[in-house]
């Protein structure tokens, strides 16, 4: 009796706890490392305001080093927010025993009740757990770490049937790299909450999907199907020099309502990403609007969150802080300076919300990223000095006084290379240059300067300079380096005794009688040492094509008795295949002492093409000693019988579209280049081979967008004798650039086996019904094809909902009248097999089957007709997909009344 009373008391206490302790909605933990072993931590939680009995004026923080602290709430009784939400801050310092990585965490016994996707309906009894990992950095060599700040609150609102978007507006003060990962919320360290479903699995279907951007942290839910409260969680990882130094888990809540599904979400028009040079002012026009603005009561409010509002200089947005009439025109303005230069983007989240629900409503988020880069050093020049090359550039540099400026780096390559400024990708990594000097600050004659002595005669060197920026640790070590935009290029060399190729120019395209013009520059007579290299001199041009060995061209070999006699510096190479072969050349001057003075080799430009549907993709390549910085594309004009210019590019490819299939087009390429050295002739003009191509249709149509409605869908009222999956899709000719689809092919996918089940040759027929002969979960694909049988490949699968259903009647009349003569289930769905046993009133087995259709005719195991009466059944039901050794999906029991009656 005492045990029973104790049990009742415990049950009552548990019940009271469930009723009163509903509490946590969302939260995260942030920190700043203030010294080698000390951090300043902030725990932020969002709780249910009305849960007064569960209000926490203090929390226990576990520091990950075996110690705990009771931390008193820092913002009084908490900040009361709308919608029964309270924001709580718990701030304290902690000193660790040594350097290492530690997990800071808090655990609270209760979440709020009725969270739809956490152990429904028992979420109130599931603990709330958040965690942040801190790695203590050695501050002699590293800059102190500030954990990520999440500037967008973790409480957000959605609406049934409407697109939901959330971005946490993550900001890392130190410029560390961030990545995001969607995870299951936790109830303890490494322990996910039980029975968790991602939001799209509540009333799952093709109209209920989620996606998560691992770079920006944007969560998109398209679209909620059931009203209620949901929780999601994600972890933000911080990286410095490729090493993870911290991670933060945010657990957040989404309120989904069903009283706004006729409301349409507002929208925002603004740029997405931009990159600017430090010192300039960024102005971004923002247009926020509400498609329901014809309703005079509808107003919208524009808000902006993000790092630029926490920097100095600070960004501003000229907008009212209250709901106003649509549309709203706002200006984001940020006057930048050199202190804002960093490798990572600054993220700004712009949010517009309507007032459909008085103080809130549907929202739309627009995320834009801003990168601020260092300006390019200006007016870089070079000059040859003895056996070195001197570089000079402008002083002052516009960012050389900022605390981030560390100096300049010098980059070099052999031969010139044309580059344009890519403001979003500063620096010279992987752009064909090698760094030869770092953190240069030397000056001379009011210029920044550098002397390159590590050079070789006969080589042409080209240079660019970058500004370098980084934060500094307490002991002066740089952290998070970032480079500026590159300077102009300057090229120079120590005077050389080798010839220099100027032209490898195809002048006739033919498979047998092609012609290439070769031109070269002989060495400067003031430099060429005729005593060290006595006459006579033999000049020869060497050639190879494909993978052949180098061979001297017989007609190019000439002998001169004096160096000044070398005046013929051009040659026509005749009788070669310039249609399908690429050719390489070099020039050699050989003195009497057999010393060779050989130029760098260069190739002819070789043009190729790839015809497709009404288009031709042209590509070409040529390895040359000079830099080709511009290409002009020519196409043959049948009317004028001349080649006309159709485009220019600095790339080695070009695509022409809007062509006529099965028509032949011919092209050639003209290159413009230079060595980048003033005394060498420029520009250098060369031409490719002529090549012809015929476009043809090899591009399939776009794939249709497919929707499948099955017996599980509420919108379908299934006919028990005609259960079907109904497929409908879009006509790709209505929304695709390629509008030549003529029919569709329909495929079913069952157990990973794809099968063609139908073909429709009318492009305007966009419906199909698949009769269910076996109740197996099935996915479908619909492709479109054109008149040449090009079939689309970017196919999305659509699957029917999975709703196993098996129900039995409680009576049947096996009297042979053709009505209700067999005991069988109601129409069932997704049932693979059963194990049915039927017993009489004395417990004797009278019938058994594994057939889901049962079809019992009222006879016993010996085939004898049973008498009228009530029979008991036990039926194990196995859903489709269960293997013989897998658990029973469902067990049903009950009674059957057998009424044979009269025939």
């Amino acid at each position: 009796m005492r045990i029973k009373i104790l049990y009742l008391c415990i049950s009552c206490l548990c019940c009271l706890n469930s009723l009163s302790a509903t509490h946590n909605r969302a939260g995260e933990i942030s920190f700043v490392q203030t010294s080698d072993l000390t951090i300043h931590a902030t725990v932020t939680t969002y709780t249910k305001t009305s849960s007064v009995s569960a209000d926490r004026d203090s929390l226990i923080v576990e520091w990950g080093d075996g110690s705990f602290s009771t931390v008193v709430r820092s913002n009084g009784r908490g900040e009361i927010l709308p919608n029964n939400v309270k924001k709580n801050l718990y701030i304290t310092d902690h000193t660790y025993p040594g350097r290492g990585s530690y997990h800071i965490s808090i655990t609270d016994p209760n979440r709020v009740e009725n969270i739809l996707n956490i152990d429904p309906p028992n979420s109130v009894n599931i603990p709330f757990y958040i965690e942040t990992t801190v790695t203590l950095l050695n501050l002699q060599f590293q800059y102190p770490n500030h954990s990520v700040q999440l500037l967008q609150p973790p409480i957000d609102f959605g609406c049934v049937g409407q697109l939901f978007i959330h971005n946490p507006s993550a900001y890392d003060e130190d410029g560390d790299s961030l990545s995001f990962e969607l995870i299951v919320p936790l109830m303890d360290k490494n322990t996910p909450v039980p029975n968790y479903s991602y939001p799209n699995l509540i009333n799952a279907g093709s109209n209920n999907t989620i996606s998560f951007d691992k770079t920006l942290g944007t969560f998109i839910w398209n679209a909620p199907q059931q009203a209620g409260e949901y929780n999601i969680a994600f972890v933000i990882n911080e990286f410095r020099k490729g090493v993870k130094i911290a991670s933060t888990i945010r657990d957040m809540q989404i309120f989904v309502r069903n009283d706004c599904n006729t409301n349409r979400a507002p929208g925002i028009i603004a740029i997405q990403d931009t990159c600017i040079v430090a010192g300039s002012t960024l102005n971004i026009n923002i247009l926020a609007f509400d498609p329901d603005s014809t309703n005079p009561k509808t107003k919208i409010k524009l808000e902006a969150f993000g790092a630029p509002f926490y920097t100095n200089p600070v960004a501003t947005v000229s907008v009212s802080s209250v709901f106003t009439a649509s549309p709203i025109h706002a200006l984001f303005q940020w006057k930048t300076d050199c202190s804002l230069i960093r490798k990572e983007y600054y993220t700004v989240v712009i949010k517009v919300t309507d007032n459909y629900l008085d103080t809130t409503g549907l929202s739309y988020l627009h995320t834009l990223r801003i990168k601020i880069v260092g300006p390019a050093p200006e007016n870089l020049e070079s000059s040859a000095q003895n056996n070195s090359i001197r570089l000079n550039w402008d002083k002052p540099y516009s960012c050389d006084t900022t605390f981030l400026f560390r100096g300049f780096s010098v980059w070099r390559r052999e031969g010139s290379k044309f580059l344009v400024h890519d403001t979003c990708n500063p620096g010279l990594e992987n752009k064909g240059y090698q760094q030869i000097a770092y953190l240069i600050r030397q000056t001379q004659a009011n210029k920044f300067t550098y002397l390159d002595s590590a050079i070789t005669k006969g080589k042409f060197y080209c240079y660019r300079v970058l500004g370098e920026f980084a934060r500094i640790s307490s002991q002066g070590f740089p952290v998070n380096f970032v480079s500026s935009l590159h300077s102009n290029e300057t090229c120079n060399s120590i005077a050389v005794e080798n010839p220099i190729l100027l032209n490898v120019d195809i002048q006739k395209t033919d498979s047998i009688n092609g012609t290439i013009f070769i031109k070269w520059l002989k060495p400067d007579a003031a430099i060429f040492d005729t005593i060290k290299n006595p006459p006579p001199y033999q000049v020869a041009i060497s050639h190879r094509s494909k993978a052949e060995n180098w061979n001297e061209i017989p007609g190019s070999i000439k002998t001169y008795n004096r160096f000044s006699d070398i005046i013929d510096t051009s040659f026509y190479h005749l009788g070669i295949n310039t249609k399908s072969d690429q050719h390489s050349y070099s020039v050699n001057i050989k003195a009497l002492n057999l010393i060779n003075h050989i130029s760098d080799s260069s190739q002819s430009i070789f043009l190729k093409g790839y015809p497709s549907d009404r288009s031709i993709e042209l590509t070409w390549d040529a390895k040359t000693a000079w830099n080709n910085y511009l290409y002009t594309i020519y196409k043959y004009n049948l009317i004028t019988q001349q080649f006309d210019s159709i485009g220019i590019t600095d790339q080695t490819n070009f695509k022409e579209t809007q062509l006529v299939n099965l028509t032949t087009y011919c092209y050639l390429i003209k290159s413009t280049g230079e060595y980048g050295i003033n005394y060498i002739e420029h520009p250098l003009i060369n031409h490719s081979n002529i090549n012809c191509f015929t476009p043809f249709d090899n591009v399939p149509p776009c794939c249709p967008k497919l929707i499948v409605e099955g017996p599980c869908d509420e919108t379908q009222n299934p006919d028990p004798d005609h259960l079907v999956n109904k497929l409908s899709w879009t006509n790709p000719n209505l929304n695709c650039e390629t509008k030549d689809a003529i029919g569709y092919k329909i495929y079913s996918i069952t157990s990973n086996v794809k099968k063609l089940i139908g073909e429709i040759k009318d492009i305007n027929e966009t419906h199909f019904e698949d009769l269910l002969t076996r109740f197996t979960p099935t996915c479908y694909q619909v492709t479109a094809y054109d008149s040449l049988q090009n079939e689309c490949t970017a196919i999305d699968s659509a699957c029917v909902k999975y709703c196993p259903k098996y129900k039995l009647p409680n009576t049947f009349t096996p009297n042979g009248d053709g009505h209700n003569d067999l005991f069988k289930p109601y129409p069932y769905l997704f049932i693979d097999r059963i194990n049915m046993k039927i017993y009489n009133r004395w417990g004797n087995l009278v019938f058994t089957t594994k057939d889901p259709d049962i079809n019992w005719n009222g006879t016993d195991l010996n085939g004898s007709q049973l008498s009228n009466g009530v029979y008991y059944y036990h039926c194990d039901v196995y859903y489709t997909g269960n293997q013989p050794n897998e658990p029973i999906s469902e067990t049903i029991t009950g009674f059957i009344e057998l009424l044979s009656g009269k025939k």
Side-chain angles (χ1 to χ4, degrees):
M1 184 66 179
R2 294 177 62 187
I3 294 175
K4 187 174 182 180
I5 293 173
L6 178 60
Y7 173 78
L8 289 173
C9 290
I10 293 174
S11 299
C12 291
L13 288 173
C14 291
C15 182
L16 287 172
N17 184 61
S18 298
L19 291 171
S20 63
T22 171
H23 190 55
N24 280 286
R25 298 187 183 278
E28 71 260 355
I29 302 171
S30 59
F31 70 88
V32 177
Q33 184 178 354
T34 55
S35 69
D36 269 2
L37 301 178
T38 301
I39 65 167
H40 183 70
T42 301
V43 178
T44 305
T45 66
Y46 291 77
T47 56
K48 188 173 181 178
T49 307
S50 59
S51 295
V52 178
S53 62
D55 188 38
R56 312 285 191 247
D57 59 0
S58 64
L59 285 180
I60 296 176
V61 178
E62 182 179 354
W63 297 106
D65 58 358
S67 66
F68 301 81
S69 297
T70 299
V71 182
V72 176
R73 185 161 52 201
S74 304
N75 60 336
R77 295 186 177 181
E79 179 184 355
I80 305 300
L81 303 175
N83 301 294
N84 204 8
V85 177
K86 178 192 286 189
K87 179 180 179 180
N88 310 279
L89 299 177
Y90 306 86
I91 303 174
T92 190
D93 294 325
H94 181 72
T95 300
Y96 285 94
R99 194 173 295 119
S101 294
Y102 299 92
H103 300 286
I104 313 168
S105 64
I106 67 108
T107 305
D108 193 278
N110 303 99
R111 294 175 178 266
V112 295
E113 75 276 17
N114 298 324
I115 300 174
L116 294 182
N117 62 332
I118 295 181
D119 197 28
N122 303 310
S123 62
V124 67
N125 295 319
I126 305 303
F128 176 82
Y129 176 89
I130 50 177
E131 174 185 288
T132 288
T133 302
V134 53
T135 298
L136 297 177
L137 305 177
N138 187 336
L139 299 189
Q140 288 188 357
F141 304 99
Q142 293 277 357
Y143 189 80
N145 187 28
H146 299 69
S147 70
V148 64
Q149 301 295 308
L150 304 177
L151 306 177
Q152 176 87 310
I155 303 292
D156 216 335
F157 295 85
C159 187
V160 170
Q162 300 283 356
L163 178 70
F164 171 83
I165 304 175
H166 177 85
N167 184 285
S169 189
Y171 168 49
D172 190 277
E173 181 180 331
D174 310 319
D176 297 322
S177 300
L178 302 178
S179 70
F180 300 80
E181 180 184 356
L182 190 66
I183 63 171
V184 174
L186 301 179
M187 60 183 290
D188 202 347
K189 182 176 177 60
N190 299 324
T191 306
V193 297
N195 299 321
Y196 181 76
S197 299
Y198 286 103
N200 61 307
L201 299 180
I202 306 299
N203 284 358
S206 59
N207 58 349
N208 190 355
T209 62
I210 62 171
S211 64
F212 189 72
D213 189 319
K214 295 183 178 181
T215 301
L216 296 177
T218 300
F219 176 83
I220 299 177
W221 185 3
N222 189 15
Q225 297 299 307
Q226 182 173 334
E229 299 178 16
Y230 298 78
N231 272 68
I232 62 171
F234 48 87
V235 59
I236 306 97
N237 297 308
E238 298 176 54
F239 295 88
R240 186 175 293 181
K241 293 185 177 179
V243 177
K244 186 162 73 172
I245 61 172
S247 62
T248 299
I249 292 176
R250 164 175 270 194
D251 194 322
M252 67 165 289
Q253 189 161 69
I254 305 168
F255 294 96
V256 175
R257 301 181 58 152
N258 61 3
D259 54 356
C260 52
N261 51 5
T262 60
N263 182 30
R264 291 181 294 173
I268 294 173
I269 298 176
I271 63 172
Q272 287 190 318
D273 293 345
T274 188
C275 304
I276 62 170
V277 178
S280 56
T281 298
L282 176 62
N283 293 302
I284 298 176
N285 291 312
I286 303 167
L287 172 63
F289 61 93
D290 190 341
D292 298 324
S293 59
T294 54
N295 183 344
K297 295 182 179 181
T298 299
K299 295 183 178 181
I300 56 176
K301 180 171 67 173
L302 188 70
E303 301 170 277
F305 308 87
F309 304 106
Y310 293 83
T311 59
N312 184 20
V314 66
T316 60
V317 175
S318 58
V319 66
S320 172
S321 60
V322 298
F323 285 97
T324 56
S326 173
I328 295 176
H329 295 272
L331 176 66
F332 172 93
Q333 188 172 71
W334 196 9
K335 182 174 177 57
T336 66
D337 65 21
C338 298
S339 68
L340 300 173
I341 295 170
R342 70 178 200 171
K343 182 179 180 180
E344 301 301 319
Y345 283 84
Y346 295 88
T347 300
V348 176
V349 176
I350 304 170
K351 181 177 183 179
V352 59
T353 307
D354 65 29
N355 66 339
Y356 185 84
L357 301 174
D358 190 22
T359 60
T360 187
L362 284 179
S363 297
Y364 179 80
L365 296 186
H366 179 86
T367 302
L368 66 91
R369 301 187 306 161
I370 304 165
K371 179 179 281 189
I372 299 178
V373 301
E378 295 182 334
N379 297 319
L380 177 65
E381 298 175 340
S382 62
S383 59
Q385 295 183 1
N386 298 323
N387 291 321
S388 302
I389 295 177
R390 170 72 66 181
L391 303 177
N392 294 304
W393 61 97
D394 281 0
K395 182 181 184 297
Y397 171 57
S398 56
C399 282
D400 60 13
T401 58
T402 178
F403 71 95
L404 295 175
F405 180 67
R406 306 274 75 86
F408 298 96
S409 60
V410 179
W411 298 69
R412 186 181 76 183
R413 62 173 276 120
E414 293 182 24
S416 177
K417 184 172 184 179
F418 178 75
L419 290 179
V420 295
H421 277 146
D422 182 353
T423 314
C424 291
N425 293 285
L428 288 168
E429 290 282 350
N430 303 315
K431 294 181 181 178
Y433 293 80
Q434 289 187 329
Q435 182 180 291
I436 61 171
Y438 201 52
L439 305 187
I440 300 300
R441 284 181 174 243
Q442 291 90 345
T443 62
Q444 185 182 80
N446 205 32
K447 292 273 189 178
F448 288 109
T449 188
Y450 175 74
L451 185 67
D452 183 14
S453 301
I455 58 178
T456 302
K457 285 186 177 182
K459 294 187 179 296
F460 298 96
Y461 294 103
C462 295
Y463 301 85
R464 293 185 190 269
V465 174
L466 302 174
E468 300 290 348
F469 302 86
R471 294 179 178 271
I472 293 294
S473 73
S474 60
Q475 298 299 312
F477 292 93
V479 177
N480 287 347
F481 260 112
V482 60
S483 301
S484 74
L485 299 175
H486 59 76
S487 71
N488 61 294
E489 185 183 62
T490 182
C491 301
N492 223 308
S493 69
I494 298 174
V496 296
E497 298 180 337
N498 295 341
I500 300 169
L501 269 173
L502 302 177
N503 291 96
V504 179
D505 185 18
I506 298 178
Q507 299 203 342
K508 181 180 180 181
T509 299
D510 193 87
S511 59
I512 298 175
N513 294 313
T515 301
I516 294 181
F517 173 67
I518 298 98
K519 182 179 178 181
W520 53 282
L521 177 68
K522 76 175 187 178
D524 191 333
I527 301 301
F528 194 85
D529 189 341
T530 56
I531 296 180
K532 180 181 177 182
N533 302 287
Y537 305 104
Q538 178 183 286
V539 176
I541 297 175
S542 294
H543 163 262
R544 74 172 180 180
S545 64
K546 299 181 179 177
E548 298 173 356
N549 294 325
W550 285 96
N551 293 294
E552 292 183 344
I553 304 172
S556 71
I557 302 172
K558 296 181 180 180
T559 302
Y560 301 90
N561 292 322
R562 292 178 299 182
F563 186 76
S564 60
D565 291 342
I566 304 174
I567 57 174
D568 186 1
T569 58
S570 63
F571 177 76
Y572 287 90
H573 193 192
L574 307 175
I576 57 175
N577 180 359
T578 55
K579 183 176 181 179
S580 57
D581 290 347
Q582 189 171 27
H583 300 267
S584 301
Y585 297 89
S586 67
V587 181
N588 181 24
I589 300 177
K590 184 188 298 183
L592 178 64
N593 57 11
L594 302 182
I595 295 177
N596 293 302
H597 300 271
I598 305 173
S599 72
D600 291 333
S601 64
S602 295
Q603 290 179 324
S604 59
I605 305 171
F606 189 68
L607 172 63
K608 296 180 290 185
Y610 302 93
S612 187
D613 184 24
R614 295 179 294 170
S615 67
I616 297 173
E617 177 82 24
L618 302 175
T619 66
W620 56 92
D621 68 273
K623 296 179 180 177
T624 59
W626 60 88
N627 173 48
N628 289 316
Y629 58 84
L630 189 66
Y631 299 95
T632 306
I633 299 91
Y634 292 87
K635 182 172 74 173
Y636 189 71
N637 188 320
L638 291 173
I639 298 175
T640 64
Q641 297 189 356
Q642 300 289 328
F643 278 92
D644 296 335
S645 170
I646 61 170
I648 58 173
T649 179
D650 60 356
Q651 305 298 309
T652 56
N653 57 11
F654 181 85
K655 185 174 184 178
E656 187 178 19
T657 59
Q658 305 302 318
L659 302 177
V660 178
N661 283 342
L662 305 181
T663 300
T664 300
Y665 300 88
C666 297
Y667 302 86
L668 71 85
I669 307 298
K670 181 183 79 174
S671 68
T672 305
E674 65 178 11
Y675 278 95
I677 299 174
N678 289 333
Y679 69 82
I680 298 178
E681 175 186 330
H682 59 278
L684 303 177
I685 305 298
N686 294 278
H687 297 84
S688 74
N689 56 313
I690 297 171
N691 213 339
C692 302
F693 312 96
T694 303
F696 62 98
D697 185 2
N698 63 347
V699 177
C702 296
C703 282
K705 300 298 183 183
L706 173 64
I707 297 175
V708 177
E709 180 184 302
C712 298
D713 291 286
E714 296 177 1
T715 56
Q716 186 180 130
N717 186 16
D719 178 353
D721 298 319
H722 187 73
L723 291 173
V724 296
N725 288 330
K726 297 181 179 180
L727 285 66
S728 61
W729 56 87
T730 58
N731 182 341
N733 287 349
L734 300 179
N735 53 17
C736 181
E737 183 179 353
T738 304
K739 302 182 185 302
D740 59 355
I742 64 169
Y744 306 100
K745 292 183 179 180
I746 299 97
Y747 298 88
S748 68
I749 303 173
T750 303
S751 300
N752 293 322
V753 176
K754 183 175 179 179
K755 179 182 177 182
L756 178 66
I757 61 171
E759 182 176 355
I760 297 176
K761 296 184 178 181
D762 180 357
I763 195 63
N764 295 312
E765 177 55 60
T766 57
H767 296 83
F768 182 85
E769 289 191 357
D770 182 26
L771 181 65
L772 298 183
T773 57
R774 186 173 186 271
F775 304 122
T776 302
T778 303
C779 296
Y780 296 90
Q781 292 180 345
V782 174
T783 64
Y785 60 87
D786 61 21
S787 59
L788 297 178
Q789 297 302 306
N790 294 311
E791 188 175 356
C792 71
T793 56
I795 314 168
D796 292 328
S797 296
C799 302
V800 295
K801 290 182 179 179
Y802 184 49
C803 59
K805 181 170 63 175
Y806 196 74
K807 186 178 180 181
L808 298 174
N810 57 15
T811 186
F812 77 119
T813 57
N815 56 14
D817 65 356
H819 299 285
N820 201 24
D821 286 331
L822 298 175
F823 180 75
K824 57 184 179 180
Y826 295 109
Y828 56 86
L829 296 175
F830 305 127
I831 304 302
D832 183 71
R833 65 193 185 283
I834 64 171
N835 187 6
M836 169 68 115
K837 297 182 185 297
I838 300 176
Y839 302 89
N840 63 19
R841 69 182 67 182
W842 296 282
N844 298 320
L845 181 68
V846 297
F847 180 79
T848 182
T849 185
K850 296 184 182 298
D851 181 2
D853 291 328
I854 303 177
N855 290 327
W856 180 38
N857 61 4
T859 61
D860 63 15
L861 295 175
N862 298 317
S864 300
Q865 184 68 43
L866 293 168
S867 61
N868 289 352
V870 176
Y871 294 82
Y872 172 77
Y873 66 84
H874 181 283
C875 184
D876 294 331
V877 182
Y878 296 83
Y879 298 161
T880 300
N882 278 14
Q883 299 304 313
N885 59 346
E886 287 185 332
I888 299 167
S889 300
E890 180 184 4
T891 297
I892 56 177
T893 59
F895 297 93
I896 308 166
E897 186 175 9
L898 188 156
L899 299 171
S900 58
K902 294 181 180 181
K903 294 183 182 180

